[in-house]
Amino acid sequence: MEQVVSTLRQNPEAIEIIKANCQHYQSQAYLKKGLKRTIEHLEWVLAADNDIERICSQIMADDHIGGKLRQYPLLFKGINSPSRE
């Protein structure tokens, strides 16, 4: 997750990848209730603030939401892919 946060700080446009991942997983018919709730929390974090530092702080926060976000790394899939240009 530290690599994800580092990449987000270097490339704030990567937030769009996270938003796309949220949409992708929400469109699936059968999701665990915990994952659905975590996606909602992540969308709230992204909608509440455009400041990349605060978003990264929330992802790494030692609280309930931060812990849940780190529990589902698939939400951050594609952030650290080496093929991005």
Side-chain angles (χ1 to χ4, degrees), residues 3-70:
Q3 288 178 336
V4 168
V5 169
S6 175
T7 301
L8 287 173
R9 286 184 172 131
Q10 294 171 8
N11 184 10
E13 296 81 31
I15 291 292
E16 296 305 317
I17 296 171
I18 297 173
K19 290 178 182 179
N21 287 344
C22 287
Q23 289 178 351
H24 169 74
Y25 289 112
Q26 276 190 325
S27 69
Q28 294 183 6
Y30 301 102
L31 285 181
K32 290 174 31 178
K33 188 188 290 187
L35 178 54
K36 281 185 179 183
R37 191 77 174 136
T38 301
I39 291 170
E40 288 176 10
H41 287 302
L42 182 54
E43 288 178 332
W44 292 340
V45 167
L46 297 175
D49 202 344
N50 286 330
D51 183 13
I52 195 68
E53 285 301 318
R54 283 188 276 229
I55 292 170
C56 291
S57 297
Q58 183 59 58
I59 292 170
M60 296 307 289
D62 195 21
D63 61 7
H64 177 73
I65 294 174
K68 284 301 211 177
L69 295 176
R70 291 188 303 276

Side-chain angles (χ1 to χ4, degrees), residues 69-83:
L69 295 176
R70 291 188 303 276
Q71 187 177 352
Y72 296 102
L74 280 177
L75 295 174
F76 304 97
K77 181 180 177 182
I79 297 293
N80 290 331
S81 68
S83 62

